[in-house]
């Protein structure tokens, strides 16, 4: 057994990131400036986005997109119950109603058949989450959304470097929101990126920074660069050049980090796929999985142990884990406001009760990976 605790998802920050941050600190510009511009351009190019806007979180990107789409009170936004609170909180922020749907048993992504049933005349957007980094069935969702003129917003927090039918997530004209939170595949500590149609993204740029019309000073050139106009009561969602410094270096390392993630996943799959106590994650043939998470689902009867006990046993063996996610509909705010019962979304709830996310980070050494495998196999072997 390992002697030190293995955290669930430690960030991989190297000397290059540190040097780039120090370079910014020593420069004349520490907040949104040249490095943020460069990060937007390079990230946009990487995901083949029509346009990109750097912000200070994925939550900010999602909120900004909803505001820019004009979604508000009386409107409904369809999304998955198996997501992080941020995806759904922002729908509440704009005063709209989140309409939750259940997930597909294999991918844990929003089930398009159930999305169709949830559509009403008040549906103003479908917010899809690419759970774990496995792209959702975008073609099925587009077939529902496009004829009805309903926009699709992608919560791509897990999906940097993911591809659906050969196209990178973020390459579409619809809004896609990426997260650079500390645990994500590419991190700026906190940060996010909104991609989409260039005209839409420029509107979001205004909304994301106090509603300042930055074109104003150009139109009123003689009055100088001090001049601005507030055209909307916007937000303070801009990314700093300190964050962009991290992002620029992380982006250059992303392919190598992704290949390390894939190697770790392959090692887990080799060991766990044949055991009857576990349901291992899958990747459909038409996708490139970003492998943000490795979500193992247990068969508690076969393991003779609950998920919570399994997590405690791993913790006792110095292995950190997590759960993605506690379904939205069982959180007190949403449960009470909308009267949800746990089994209203049976696939998500059942999966939640059986799931555990194992450590997955390019930071893990071969020994770390071997320690995780040994611990899981050891716990599985102790079943009575
Ligand atoms: C991390 C995460 C977010 C929020 O990202 P932030 O950058 O922390 O705002 C949103 N949705 C999902 C599915 C996430 O995992």
């Amino acid at each position: 057994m390992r002697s030190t605790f293995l955290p669930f998802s430690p960030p991989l920050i190297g000397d290059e990131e540190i040097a780039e941050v120090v370079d910014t600190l020593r420069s004349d510009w520490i907040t949104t400036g040249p490095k943020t511009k460069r990060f937007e351009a390079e990230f946009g190019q990487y995901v083949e986005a029509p346009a990109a806007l750097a912000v200070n979180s994925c939550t900010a990107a999602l909120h900004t997109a909803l505001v820019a789409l004009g979604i508000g009170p009386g409107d409904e936004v369809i999304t998955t119950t198996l997501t992080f609170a941020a995806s759904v909180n922002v729908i509440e922020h704009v005063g709209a109603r989140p309409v939750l749907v259940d997930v597909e048993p294999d991918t844990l992504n929003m089930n398009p058949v159930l999305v169709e049933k949830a559509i009403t005349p008040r549906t103003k957007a479908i917010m899809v989450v690419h759970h774990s980094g496995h792209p959702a069935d975008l073609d099925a969702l587009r077939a529902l959304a496009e004829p009805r003129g309903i926009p699709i917003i992608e919560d791509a927090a897990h999906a940097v470097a993911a591809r659906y039918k050969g196209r990178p997530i973020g390459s579409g004209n619809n809004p896609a929101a990426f997260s650079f939170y500390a645990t994500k595949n590419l991190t700026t500590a906190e940060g996010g990126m909104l991609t989409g149609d260039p005209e839409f993204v420029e509107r979001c740029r205004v909304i994301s920074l106090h509603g300042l019309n930055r074109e104003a000073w150009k139109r009123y050139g003689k009055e100088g660069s001090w001049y601005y106009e507030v055209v909307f009561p916007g937000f303070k969602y801009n990314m700093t050049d300190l964050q962009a410094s991290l992002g620029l270096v992380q982006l250059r390392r992303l392919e190598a980090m992704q290949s390390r993630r894939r190697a770790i996943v392959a090692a887990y799959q080799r060991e766990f796929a044949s055991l009857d106590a576990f349901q291992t994650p899958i990747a459909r043939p038409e996708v490139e999985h970003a492998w943000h998470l490795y979500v193992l689902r247990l068969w508690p009867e076969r393991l003779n142990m609950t998920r919570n006990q399994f997590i405690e046993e791993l913790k006792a063996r110095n292995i950190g884990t997590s759960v993605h996610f506690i379904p939205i509909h069982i959180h007190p705010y949403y449960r009470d406001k909308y009267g949800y019962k746990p089994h209203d979304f049976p696939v998500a709830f059942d999966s939640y009760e059986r799931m555990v996310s194992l450590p997955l980070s390019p930071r893990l050494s071969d020994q770390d990976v071997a320690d995780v495998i040994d611990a899981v196999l050891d716990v599985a072997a102790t079943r009575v």
Side-chain angles (χ1 to χ4, degrees):
M1 194 185 96
R2 58 182 288 135
S3 54
T4 57
F5 186 72
L6 180 68
F8 164 68
S9 187
L12 181 62
I13 299 293
D15 290 341
E16 275 184 88
E17 280 91 340
I18 293 167
E20 195 70 40
V21 171
V22 170
D23 176 69
T24 305
L25 285 169
R26 293 194 195 283
S27 78
D28 292 335
W29 207 268
I30 56 175
T31 185
T32 315
K35 288 196 186 178
T36 304
K37 279 282 134 220
R38 246 176 64 211
F39 183 43
E40 276 178 356
E42 290 182 19
F43 185 88
Q45 195 170 29
Y46 177 76
V47 303
E48 299 172 25
L53 166 67
V55 287
N56 59 14
S57 72
C58 175
T59 310
L62 291 169
H63 185 208
T64 303
L66 289 171
V67 171
L69 288 168
I71 293 168
D75 296 337
E76 294 175 353
V77 178
I78 298 172
T79 192
T80 166
T81 188
L82 201 63
T83 186
F84 183 56
S87 326
V88 186
N89 288 349
V90 292
I91 300 170
E92 294 279 325
H93 291 166
V94 299
R97 179 187 175 133
V99 175
L100 302 178
V101 298
D102 208 350
V103 296
E104 302 166 325
D106 59 341
T107 64
L108 299 175
N109 283 325
M110 196 159 70
N111 187 332
V113 175
L114 301 174
V115 171
E116 179 160 32
K117 290 192 182 138
I119 293 174
T120 76
R122 292 176 300 281
T123 305
K124 290 291 151 46
I126 296 170
M127 186 191 290
V128 58
V129 180
H130 305 297
H131 193 288
S132 304
H134 188 299
D137 191 351
L138 287 171
D139 277 355
L141 293 169
R142 286 182 193 125
L144 299 174
E146 278 171 11
R148 295 173 170 92
I150 301 171
I152 293 177
I153 302 171
E154 291 173 75
D155 177 339
H158 299 180
V160 65
R163 284 171 182 263
Y164 176 78
K165 298 190 176 172
R167 301 276 298 147
I169 296 300
S171 61
N173 268 308
N174 62 300
F178 293 88
S179 174
F180 309 134
Y181 178 66
T183 59
K184 299 302 198 308
N185 291 30
L186 182 164
T187 185
T188 62
E190 299 280 357
M193 191 78 75
L194 181 64
T195 60
D197 165 74
E199 188 271 335
F200 179 83
V201 166
E202 284 320 297
R203 251 188 311 137
C204 288
R205 191 180 296 282
V206 172
I207 292 167
S208 71
L209 193 63
H210 304 299
L212 304 188
N213 184 345
R214 300 200 213 172
E215 297 307 301
W217 68 271
K218 287 184 193 161
R219 283 190 278 116
Y220 297 89
K222 276 192 174 171
E223 293 178 70
S225 60
W226 58 268
Y227 188 78
Y228 57 81
E229 288 177 343
V230 175
V231 295
F232 184 85
F235 309 106
K236 186 63 164 63
Y237 283 164
N238 54 307
M239 176 179 276
T240 71
D241 270 20
L242 292 170
Q243 293 165 308
S245 306
L246 291 169
L248 283 165
V249 180
Q250 289 265 297
L251 188 60
R252 288 203 294 272
R253 291 150 63 90
L254 186 57
E255 285 299 333
M257 293 196 292
Q258 287 300 113
S259 117
R260 178 65 185 153
R261 280 179 184 273
R262 286 192 293 271
I264 295 168
V265 167
Y268 287 167
Q269 297 287 59
R270 258 196 314 276
E271 298 292 336
F272 306 143
S274 60
L275 300 182
D276 71 350
F278 301 121
Q279 179 182 1
T280 47
I282 58 98
R284 290 184 183 172
E286 71 272 21
V287 309
E288 203 163 298
H289 199 315
W291 292 112
H292 171 56
L293 301 172
Y294 183 87
V295 177
L296 202 57
R297 276 174 283 178
L298 321 174
W299 295 112
E301 329 73 66
R302 294 184 194 156
L303 203 56
N304 206 19
M305 190 182 294
T306 65
R307 183 273 316 275
N308 293 1
Q309 288 170 323
F310 187 78
I311 286 176
E312 288 310 309
E313 291 294 332
L314 287 180
K315 195 186 283 176
R317 289 163 178 77
N318 273 331
I319 304 298
T321 57
S322 191
V323 171
H324 296 88
F325 292 95
I326 303 166
I328 296 299
H329 72 279
I330 69 171
H331 285 293
Y333 175 83
Y334 292 99
R335 179 195 64 203
D336 298 344
K337 182 167 182 182
Y338 298 109
Y340 289 127
K341 301 275 178 292
H343 291 283
D344 285 352
F345 307 101
V347 179
F349 186 70
D350 165 73
S351 293
Y352 157 65
E353 292 205 301
R354 301 194 289 114
M355 65 170 52
V356 54
S357 301
L358 296 183
L360 179 55
S361 153
R363 173 88 171 267
L364 301 184
S365 67
D366 288 347
Q367 187 59 53
D368 294 333
V369 175
D371 290 343
V372 174
I373 290 170
D374 286 349
V376 169
L377 296 180
D378 185 44
V379 176
T382 64
R383 62 180 131 157
V384 232

